[in-house]
């Protein structure tokens, strides 16, 4: 980040733009991980790759039916002003009733955890907490390397983040998410190499460089 900030404060417009793009790509990679983790936890459980391997079609149908039933029941409680039931849902799950409805239809990991909490199913609660914690730990690990790469302007750390992300994306998000994150990582490594080269040469202080390059072209 020190190098990017130096380039942004410099007089070379091309170097300044490159530095801004480099920082933007690092932030975008970090946001990609955060959004992916949130989607894995709060999105449809049927879209989570590992769940497709663990559960069969009948089990997915059962989860879908259970989620629809919970959502319809909560909607009824809201319409009929069953405040006691609504308060119990909030106390047991830590979620507002409307949030609970969203997480259950379609069923999500967080919604499944909430249902186990309502049923006071300790074994189910423990299992879902472990699964969600695994998602968060992997996402934090990938995000840590991406963030550190942005702070240190390091290609190696972003490559490490991309390699670690394979496990995270293939288990919990999917191949499309991995492609997006990888594209951001590749673009970042290209731009950070350019930034480091300019910084090393001190060319970011030369506001005539773009004009000279254009004349040579």
């Amino acid at each position: 980040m020190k190098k990017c900030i130096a380039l942004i404060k410099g007089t070379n417009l091309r170097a300044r733009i490159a530095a801004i793009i480099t920082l933007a790509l690092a932030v975008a990679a970090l946001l990609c991980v955060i959004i992916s983790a949130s989607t894995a936890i709060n999105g449809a459980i049927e879209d989570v790759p590992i769940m497709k391997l663990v559960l069969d079609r009948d089990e997915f149908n059962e989860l879908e039916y259970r989620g629809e039933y919970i959502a319809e029941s909560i909607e009824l409680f809201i319409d009929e002003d069953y405040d006691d039931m609504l308060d119990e849902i909030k106390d047991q799950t830590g979620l507002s009733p409307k949030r609970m409805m969203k997480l259950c239809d379609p069923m999500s990991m967080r919604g499944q955890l909430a249902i186990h909490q309502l049923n006071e199913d300790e074994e189910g609660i423990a299992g879902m907490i472990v699964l969600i914690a695994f998602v968060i730990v992997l996402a934090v690990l990938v995000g840590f390397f991406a963030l550190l790469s942005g702070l240190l302007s390091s290609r190696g750390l972003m490559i490490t983040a991309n390699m670690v992300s394979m496990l995270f994306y293939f288990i919990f998000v999917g191949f499309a998410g991995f492609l997006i994150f990888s594209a951001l990582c590749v673009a970042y490594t290209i731009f950070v190499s350019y930034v480091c080269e300019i910084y090393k040469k001190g060319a970011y202080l030369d506001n005539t460089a773009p004009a000279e390059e254009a004349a040579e072209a």
Side-chain angles (χ1 to χ4, degrees):
M1 182 175 286
K2 176 183 176 181
K3 296 174 183 176
C4 288
I5 292 175
L7 266 63
I8 291 172
K9 291 181 178 179
T11 54
N12 187 318
L13 180 59
R14 183 174 297 178
R16 190 180 302 166
I17 292 173
I20 292 172
I21 292 175
T22 302
L23 288 177
L25 287 169
V27 172
L30 185 59
L31 287 176
C32 184
V33 176
I34 294 172
I35 293 171
S36 296
S38 177
T39 300
I41 294 171
N42 301 312
I45 203 169
E46 190 173 355
D47 295 334
V48 178
I50 188 66
M51 292 302 178
K52 294 178 181 178
L53 297 176
V54 174
L55 304 178
D56 59 28
R57 185 67 260 170
D58 290 338
E59 289 172 312
F60 276 127
N61 290 338
E62 183 181 346
L63 286 174
E64 182 180 357
Y65 172 78
R66 186 185 305 170
E68 289 175 355
Y69 175 76
I70 293 292
E72 289 171 1
S73 298
I74 293 174
E75 187 174 14
L76 176 64
F77 296 156
I78 294 173
D79 291 340
E80 300 296 330
D81 294 326
Y82 290 163
D83 292 336
D84 291 343
M85 298 298 294
L86 296 175
D87 289 341
E88 183 179 350
I89 290 172
K90 189 171 184 179
D91 292 341
Q92 293 275 79
T93 66
L95 301 169
S96 69
K98 290 186 177 180
R99 179 61 176 161
M100 176 82 172
M101 288 173 63
K102 281 188 175 182
L103 292 172
C104 288
D105 189 18
M107 181 62 76
S108 64
M109 288 187 195
R110 185 63 185 88
Q112 186 66 17
L113 172 60
I115 290 175
H116 288 315
Q117 290 171 330
L118 284 175
N119 295 330
E120 298 183 349
D121 178 1
E122 296 298 331
E123 185 177 341
I125 292 172
M128 291 309 302
I129 287 178
V130 168
L131 186 60
I132 291 173
F134 192 37
V135 175
I136 294 172
V137 168
L138 283 179
V140 168
L141 190 60
V142 176
F144 171 75
F145 284 118
L147 177 62
L148 202 58
S149 176
L151 292 174
L152 301 179
S153 300
S154 169
R155 292 172 296 172
L157 287 172
M158 189 60 83
I159 292 172
T160 301
N162 194 22
M163 292 176 64
V164 175
S165 75
M166 291 178 66
L167 182 63
F168 170 66
Y169 278 99
F170 288 164
I171 293 178
F172 295 114
V173 183
F175 186 65
F178 176 69
L179 283 181
I180 294 171
F181 183 74
S182 294
L184 290 171
C185 290
V186 170
Y188 175 84
T189 56
I190 293 172
F191 272 92
V192 82
S193 296
Y194 180 58
V195 164
C196 290
E197 183 180 353
I198 294 175
Y199 182 83
K200 185 177 180 180
K201 294 179 178 178
Y204 60 97
L205 298 174
D206 181 9
N207 61 359
T208 63
E212 291 175 357
E213 291 173 8
E216 290 176 1

